[in-house]
Amino acid sequence: MVHGGAGALDNVRDNKTALRYLESIRTIVEHGRNVMELGGSALQAVEACASLLEDDPVFNAGCGSVLNENGKVELDAAIMDGRDLSAGAVAAVGNIANPVQLARLVMTKSEHVMLISEGAMRFADHCGMERVPEDYFYTPDRVEQLHQARLRHKVMLDHDDSDDDSEDQKYGTIGAIARDPEGNLAAATSTGGIVNKRMGRVGDSPIVGAGVYADNETCAVSATGFGEDFMRTVISKTISDFMLMKGMDANQATEAGIAYLTRKLRGRGGVIVIDQHGNCASGFTTKKMIHGWIEKGGETHCSF
Ligand code: ASP
């Protein structure tokens, strides 16, 4: 399963842009299938899918990320392997085209789970990862979006759908989760965060248990939405716990997780979930969430 952010795509529905989102989601989820058909693991599949989503400028991750209060990108990403709960994350990094790949290196080549900012960049240099110039990330849409947020004196989801008069209802943050034929689960989430965020703000996406989680005993989860709500409800681990402690399947646990998010905080966003048996589920409190999935090797589905 992959997602391209929770929110509404109403104002671009039925035009070329909407089709672009869908086409990208479909192509990328099918790429994930190919990776695993060729013998790749769930971990390889989610890293490959998340990288492709980061490369597509329509999504709020990697190239095309939203801008912070200083007009800069600060990127967060994480990846987790359900086989042994190993995880890697980076936060507030710039100049890295694929933060999810840096997160994977943190997981495999360091003794840590998370590196941030300058320390993460030094680690990237140490690993020989190429730095890209800042203008690699900028798109005219993102500059305009920051301008609008500043005018309204607010921070916004890339795809904010809370205001009826919202002009900007695009999708954003990306995530990929997979279960491979061996039954291994993996999850990855990557984002530019929220528009006009404070410098140094880190959201849920790189936080294990909040924006990302994978455990072979339960499920793989990737979240999207207002990170502060997801950190406070530890939403991804909460969904996993519903399975572990209450024996729920993907649909039941997702429904229970979304109900908890709503009851406690009226939290805004959504999740994609695959359980240990390969059942796929999604849930969101925004109008929509763009996502695609292939359940148990079946047909490709997309929804937005
Ligand atoms: N969850 C992300 C964050 O708060 C934003 C999003 O999903 O669009 O950084």
Side-chain angles (χ1 to χ4, degrees):
M1 293 187 88
V2 302
H3 72 73
L9 200 56
D10 299 2
N11 64 336
V12 289
R13 193 187 286 273
D14 298 327
N15 70 19
K16 263 165 57 187
T17 315
L19 288 176
R20 270 276 291 111
Y21 281 91
L22 271 189
E23 224 177 84
S24 186
I25 289 288
R26 174 176 289 277
T27 309
I28 293 171
V29 77
E30 285 177 352
H31 180 76
R33 183 211 296 263
N34 290 342
V35 169
M36 290 191 286
E37 273 181 359
L38 292 171
S41 64
L43 190 69
Q44 284 168 326
V46 299
E47 184 183 3
C49 290
S51 298
L52 289 173
L53 288 158
E54 286 175 337
D55 292 344
D56 188 333
V58 300
F59 299 109
N60 171 22
C63 173
S65 285
V66 301
L67 305 178
N68 72 7
E69 61 178 357
N70 298 328
K72 305 258 183 223
V73 293
E74 286 190 323
L75 311 169
D76 302 336
I79 190 162
M80 186 158 181
D81 187 343
R83 282 178 288 203
D84 58 0
L85 304 189
S86 56
V90 292
V93 296
N95 306 96
I96 297 292
N98 293 110
V100 73
Q101 293 175 15
L102 183 55
R104 172 101 189 253
L105 289 171
V106 172
M107 176 170 102
T108 52
K109 294 205 183 310
S110 86
E111 61 275 36
H112 305 301
V113 169
M114 179 182 277
L115 292 175
I116 65 161
S117 193
E118 188 49 36
M121 297 304 294
R122 282 194 197 178
F123 179 72
D125 293 342
H126 169 77
C127 294
M129 190 171 244
E130 189 200 340
R131 288 194 184 207
V132 293
E134 238 163 76
D135 61 10
Y136 166 81
F137 298 99
Y138 294 143
T139 65
D141 282 358
R142 295 308 187 196
V143 175
E144 177 54 25
Q145 192 182 38
L146 176 64
H147 178 63
Q148 291 301 328
R150 280 175 174 162
L151 284 180
R152 290 193 244 164
H153 299 287
K154 63 178 227 171
V155 294
M156 329 188 288
L157 280 181
D158 168 36
H159 35 74
D160 207 330
D161 62 5
S162 59
D163 297 334
D164 288 337
D165 64 351
S166 174
E167 294 271 309
D168 196 337
Q169 301 187 333
K170 292 193 202 110
Y171 289 89
T173 289
I174 67 92
I177 56 175
R179 179 190 181 277
D180 63 29
E182 274 78 58
N184 296 313
L185 293 165
T189 306
S190 180
T191 189
I194 54 179
V195 187
N196 202 23
K197 65 183 180 181
R198 277 184 192 276
M199 185 183 165
R201 177 265 188 189
V202 175
D204 62 307
S205 307
I207 308 288
V208 170
V212 68
Y213 200 70
D215 178 356
N216 276 7
E217 248 186 272
T218 55
C219 60
V221 185
S222 174
T224 167
F226 267 106
E228 282 72 7
D229 298 339
F230 288 1
M231 290 156 93
R232 291 159 68 201
T233 51
V234 201
I235 191 69
S236 298
K237 177 69 163 86
T238 297
I239 288 171
S240 168
D241 283 349
F242 278 127
M243 294 187 193
L244 193 66
M245 294 174 196
K246 300 210 167 185
M248 292 184 181
D249 67 15
N251 268 315
Q252 293 164 330
T254 301
E255 211 175 292
I258 292 293
Y260 179 73
L261 178 74
T262 306
R263 181 166 61 82
K264 295 301 268 189
L265 299 177
R266 302 205 144 278
R268 291 188 43 245
V271 291
I272 52 172
V273 180
I274 302 179
D275 69 25
Q276 59 170 326
H277 305 293
N279 300 307
C280 295
S282 60
F284 42 91
T285 62
T286 39
K287 279 190 206 159
K288 299 276 168 57
M289 175 176 70
I290 186 166
H291 59 293
W293 69 98
I294 296 170
E295 193 167 32
K296 298 177 182 169
E299 280 174 32
T300 307
H301 300 273
C302 289
S303 167
F304 75 103

